[in-house]
Amino acid sequence: MSKIHVYLMPGLAASAAIFERIVLPKETFETHLLEWEIPLDNESLTNYAKRIATKIKHENPVLIGVSFGGILVQEMAKYSAARKVIIVSSVRSNAEFPRRLKIAKTTKAYKLIPLRLIANIETLAKFSFGDKVNQRLKLYQKFLSVRDIRYLNWAVEQVVLWDRTVVDETVIHIHGDMDDVFPIKNIKNCIVVKGGTHIMVLNKYRWFNTNLPGIIES
């Protein structure tokens, strides 16, 4: 019996190292780590997703994405005939964005974000993982590896301007009830992880190791 191939996409500016504690049974699953690439000039999210989808070398893969990576794998699914798409700490449409992101889109305030400051690890950690990061900065130095200004400019704009308005009900959504980037009050029909924050793929890895196999195979 052939293995199920699982492709993992990290969150904004993060490296695939965030998945280092996610362990799926090797007799059933084979995991593949995807990484962010620097976008081409004026590259749309659609074209970027198509380009990253070329990294998928197996039929009927499972795509798992965290945060902005969750948005990306939903776009990649258009080009990879995925067996299943699972998003973690993310959103299934822009209707699930918090109010501050909707305002940022309307006012174009995101263009005023000093992205050279975001390249600083402390600011980037707060931007990518939420406010509760003070005691974990050394950890984030390891995980937040993509600090290229072109990428950060592009990624922030792609999140804010994501135009998906209709939820794909086939997408499985796993979300923490203490997520401070995408508050759960705006999220519909998800698998709730009690005590899970926006970085729960790091600190709730035991939950994922216990539950992901069943979620994938169900």
Side-chain angles (χ1 to χ4, degrees):
M1 185 173 173
S2 60
K3 291 185 179 182
I4 298 172
H5 292 273
V6 180
Y7 284 79
L8 301 167
M9 188 76 214
L12 192 149
S15 76
I18 66 169
F19 300 114
E20 66 182 11
R21 292 181 173 178
I22 303 299
V23 181
L24 301 176
K26 291 184 178 180
E27 63 274 14
T28 305
F29 305 97
E30 186 170 336
T31 58
H32 309 271
L33 302 178
L34 297 170
E35 298 278 8
W36 293 105
E37 297 190 359
I38 305 306
L40 305 177
D41 290 344
N42 301 313
E43 189 170 20
S44 67
L45 182 61
T46 295
N47 287 341
Y48 187 89
K50 188 183 297 185
R51 183 155 65 92
I52 301 300
T54 63
K55 310 293 181 185
I56 296 172
K57 304 301 182 184
H58 302 90
E59 293 183 359
N60 300 315
V62 174
L63 304 181
I64 300 179
V66 175
S67 192
F68 179 38
I71 290 175
L72 181 65
V73 296
Q74 290 177 79
E75 297 298 318
M76 289 170 59
K78 300 173 184 176
Y79 310 105
S80 59
R83 166 190 180 128
K84 194 162 288 187
V85 176
I86 300 171
I87 65 171
V88 178
S89 306
S90 190
V91 291
R92 293 194 295 173
S93 78
N94 59 20
E96 296 184 326
F97 280 167
R99 185 167 176 267
R100 65 180 180 275
L101 277 185
K102 294 177 180 178
I103 291 174
K105 177 179 180 179
T106 302
T107 63
K108 300 191 185 307
Y110 65 93
K111 291 181 176 291
L112 303 177
I113 297 172
L115 289 169
R116 293 196 178 276
L117 289 180
I118 283 186
N120 168 277
I121 187 63
E122 181 174 358
T123 310
L124 181 55
K126 289 182 178 179
F127 187 83
S128 297
F129 288 150
D131 292 329
K132 300 173 183 177
V133 299
N134 295 341
Q135 298 175 351
R136 298 178 176 269
L137 288 179
K138 288 185 179 179
L139 195 65
Y140 296 140
Q141 286 178 338
K142 173 180 179 180
F143 295 123
L144 292 173
S145 63
V146 189
R147 303 181 202 174
D148 183 276
I149 296 301
R150 290 169 298 165
Y151 166 82
L152 292 173
N153 268 307
W154 175 85
V156 170
E157 184 168 68
Q158 300 313 311
V159 172
V160 174
L161 299 184
W162 193 41
D163 60 1
R164 180 167 297 194
T165 57
V166 178
V167 166
D168 180 348
E169 297 294 347
T170 67
V171 173
I172 297 169
H173 190 171
I174 303 172
H175 210 81
D177 63 359
M178 296 180 65
D179 193 309
D180 60 345
V181 174
F182 297 122
I184 199 166
K185 66 181 181 181
N186 301 316
I187 305 298
K188 311 286 189 196
N189 300 324
C190 67
I191 298 169
V192 178
V193 178
K194 298 245 182 228
T197 65
H198 198 65
I199 61 167
M200 64 182 182
V201 73
L202 292 177
N203 56 25
K204 292 283 187 181
Y205 64 91
R206 291 185 182 87
W207 185 95
F208 287 94
N209 290 342
T210 299
N211 293 281
L212 259 185
I215 291 171
I216 291 171
E217 293 191 280
S218 64

